[in-house]
Amino acid sequence: MPTETATSEGAHQVSDAIALPIRDVVITARARREDTYPIHVTRTLPQLVRFVRSVTGDARLAIITDETVDELHGRALSDVFDTAGIRHCSFALPPGEPSKSLEQAKRLWDWLTDSGIERRDVIVAFGGSVISDTAGWVASAYMRGIRYINLPTTLLAQVDGAMGGKVAVNHPAAKNLLGAFWQPAGVVSNVAYLSTLDERHVRAGLAESIKKAIIASPEYWRFIDDHAEEILALDLDVLEQLVRSAAAIKTKLVERDPYENDLRRALNFGHTIAHPLETVSGYGEVLHGEAVAFGMLVETRIAANRGLLEEPVLDRLIDLLERVGLLQLRVQVDVDEMIAAMSPVRWIRGGSWRCPLPRRFGVTEIVDDVDDSEVREATIQTLAEGTRRGRGGDRLQEAAVSPGA
Ligand SMILES: NC(=O)c1ccc[n+]([C@@H]2O[C@H](COP(=O)([O-])OP(=O)(O)OC[C@H]3O[C@@H](n4cnc5c(N)ncnc54)[C@H](O)[C@@H]3O)[C@@H](O)[C@H]2O)c1
């Protein structure tokens, strides 16, 4: 071990004496890192600033946001930072999924260098998960990685995307293809920001909570089931509980395998179908949470068709998704096109689908032998269920069975 001694001028002297290896020995390189970070949930700006400061100290903040969030909440955030004496600058991307791109990332790196952002400064991702994914990835590469914190402003980001350290931008070949694992230095979720979010995004965000409930927490399922209407009505007490509980569940699940060495993660529930659906419907036409809701329905139906379900998970999922307005898809789905778009998912997941299928609340089984015909059958059944229960679903049904279905 090196020894360090302070010299009279306040500098440090480091003494070391590393032994040389004997001949032919294999040198083992080690680079261990333990990342821990706090996740705060609040509903006021003064508290948000206190939490931010507790993480960033007196560092300068480079706020990355989108134009919508900037217009709605940018000035207020800037004012509280000014009042607290926190130095900051900001850059707003166009809102929406297309901003999760290499081109926008490059604009951000240019802006960071033009603004003189240094290694000890901190990027602040202020927006939905498009912003935390993009800003986090930009942070992971800038100067070989600088700190960033997430101030999520959508429900989806607060219950899921802002935690876990998976950051990425999209590539035409696949969603999230260019990315990294780069953990935030902290997360501060202000549920009051959700008051300006449109209803469709609130519903879509809830899908990621429902996913966690199915795979990991019967108690969270009961909470959502009991409070679904209050969540949609944006009751702040209920939202705080919803977001804090999601953080507790996600961090526990991620902690077991933070860098996804084992690809068989229950957290992927719903996503084997959701990602290809987003690809074929054009990013942004169907919201990520809506695609996850549909994916959960299809994958639970695959479980039901296989006789895996030990509890009426499918019936209860259908009922809950109907109550929160997530049962019917807003886009037409060509089943064959969707199945064809699954090949990048297979490729990224090492050649197979590794589909987490639910057995009962809190219990999943990871299978890797789901084939195209099972997906086709379950997708058509899911679309038919949406048609049966909803209005105007005929178009979906027609699209589902053509061509070649
Ligand atoms: N990294 C992860 O672990 C992870 C997990 C889940 C999803 N994701 C990614 O998240 C993305 C979707 O995230 P999202 O749904 O947050 O999308 P988003 O960031 O595009 O936000 C949705 C829309 O809401 C607007 N908005 C944000 N906050 C608002 C507010 N408080 N009031 C009014 N409008 C507001 C935005 O301007 C945008 O138009 C997808 O790209 C998905 O892949 C990542």
Side-chain angles (χ1 to χ4, degrees):
M1 285 290 283
T3 55
E4 271 191 56
T5 39
T7 63
S8 52
E9 295 80 28
H12 275 71
Q13 180 175 295
V14 181
S15 314
D16 220 332
I18 297 170
L20 299 186
I22 53 169
R23 241 182 109 206
D24 293 338
V25 79
V26 176
I27 315 292
T28 303
R30 249 182 226 103
R32 276 205 203 103
R33 189 168 63 203
E34 183 155 315
D35 291 309
T36 59
Y37 56 92
I39 300 168
H40 298 286
V41 183
T42 181
R43 61 174 80 172
T44 72
L45 277 184
Q47 211 175 24
L48 176 142
V49 172
R50 267 202 302 284
F51 289 144
V52 168
R53 176 157 252 162
S54 69
V55 175
T56 63
D58 62 358
R60 188 167 165 227
L61 307 184
I63 303 170
I64 295 175
T65 186
D66 75 30
E67 285 155 7
T68 305
V69 175
D70 191 37
E71 201 171 311
L72 289 165
H73 302 291
R75 168 55 71 88
L77 186 71
S78 170
D79 286 351
V80 284
F81 281 165
D82 284 343
T83 307
I86 295 174
R87 292 168 304 138
H88 59 93
C89 52
S90 77
F91 190 95
L93 296 174
E97 190 73 26
S99 280
K100 247 178 83 167
S101 68
L102 196 53
E103 293 71 33
Q104 295 297 346
K106 170 148 189 330
R107 284 181 72 205
L108 289 168
W109 285 314
D110 290 344
W111 169 69
L112 291 171
T113 50
D114 290 348
S115 310
I117 294 300
E118 303 167 3
R119 261 200 84 68
R120 287 181 326 121
D121 296 335
V122 180
I123 288 178
V124 177
F126 180 45
S129 279
V130 162
I131 293 302
S132 47
D133 278 11
T134 308
W137 189 58
V138 162
S140 78
Y142 186 69
M143 296 185 171
R144 296 205 179 92
I146 69 169
R147 290 185 297 163
Y148 76 107
I149 59 169
N150 285 330
L151 306 186
T153 62
T154 62
L155 185 59
L156 186 127
Q158 295 192 353
V159 299
D160 196 69
M163 302 165 290
K166 279 169 69 169
V167 293
V169 298
N170 300 326
H171 183 275
K175 195 172 151 70
N176 296 329
L177 190 68
L178 308 174
F181 291 97
W182 191 244
Q183 308 295 341
V187 179
V188 187
S189 285
N190 176 7
V191 291
Y193 282 140
L194 304 179
S195 65
T196 53
L197 195 60
D198 66 59
E199 202 182 297
R200 186 176 171 199
H201 278 95
V202 175
R203 294 175 193 277
L206 191 51
E208 289 282 7
S209 281
I210 294 172
K211 178 193 80 178
K212 291 178 182 65
I214 293 178
I215 60 172
S217 177
E219 193 184 339
Y220 197 40
W221 174 274
R222 282 192 295 279
F223 175 80
I224 297 170
D225 203 23
D226 289 347
H227 297 286
E229 284 71 26
E230 289 147 286
I231 294 168
L232 296 183
L234 300 178
D235 178 303
L236 291 183
D237 287 333
V238 174
L239 286 175
E240 275 202 30
Q241 182 67 14
L242 182 82
V243 171
R244 193 171 280 113
S245 302
I249 296 169
K250 179 147 186 186
T251 50
K252 260 293 166 270
L253 294 173
V254 169
E255 202 177 293
R256 294 175 192 159
D257 181 19
Y259 300 106
E260 291 194 12
N261 291 319
D262 181 355
L263 294 165
R264 297 167 302 165
R265 285 163 51 111
L267 271 171
N268 285 328
F269 175 49
H271 287 65
T272 310
I273 300 293
H275 281 165
L277 176 62
E278 285 177 274
T279 306
V280 298
S281 57
Y283 296 125
E285 277 301 305
V286 55
L287 300 181
H288 180 71
E290 293 168 348
V292 170
F294 185 77
M296 289 192 291
L297 283 167
V298 173
E299 292 171 27
T300 306
R301 208 170 267 282
I302 292 172
N305 292 347
R306 286 184 169 213
L308 285 179
L309 293 184
E310 296 163 12
E311 281 176 358
V313 182
L314 182 59
D315 294 341
R316 298 199 55 197
L317 179 62
I318 289 171
D319 286 345
L320 181 58
L321 291 182
E322 186 169 37
R323 270 171 67 206
V324 301
L326 284 170
L327 193 60
Q328 279 97 26
L329 264 185
R330 291 163 180 248
V331 293
Q332 297 200 348
V333 183
D334 182 312
V335 182
D336 289 321
E337 220 185 303
M338 192 190 83
I339 289 173
M342 294 179 93
S343 40
V345 181
R346 241 194 225 124
W347 162 48
I348 289 165
R349 293 197 196 165
S352 100
W353 280 354
R354 296 221 172 79
C355 207
L357 299 179
R359 271 191 166 276
R360 53 181 190 271
F361 292 100
V363 179
T364 47
E365 181 160 317
I366 318 283
V367 302
D368 54 13
D369 59 347
V370 175
D371 63 28
D372 289 2
S373 64
E374 267 183 293
V375 174
R376 179 177 291 107
E377 185 190 1
T379 304
I380 291 169
Q381 288 170 325
T382 301
L383 289 163
E385 180 73 35
T387 306
R388 196 170 67 72
R389 298 225 185 187
R391 298 180 306 274
D394 301 354
R395 282 180 311 124
L396 302 178
Q397 175 66 5
E398 279 164 25
V401 292
S402 68

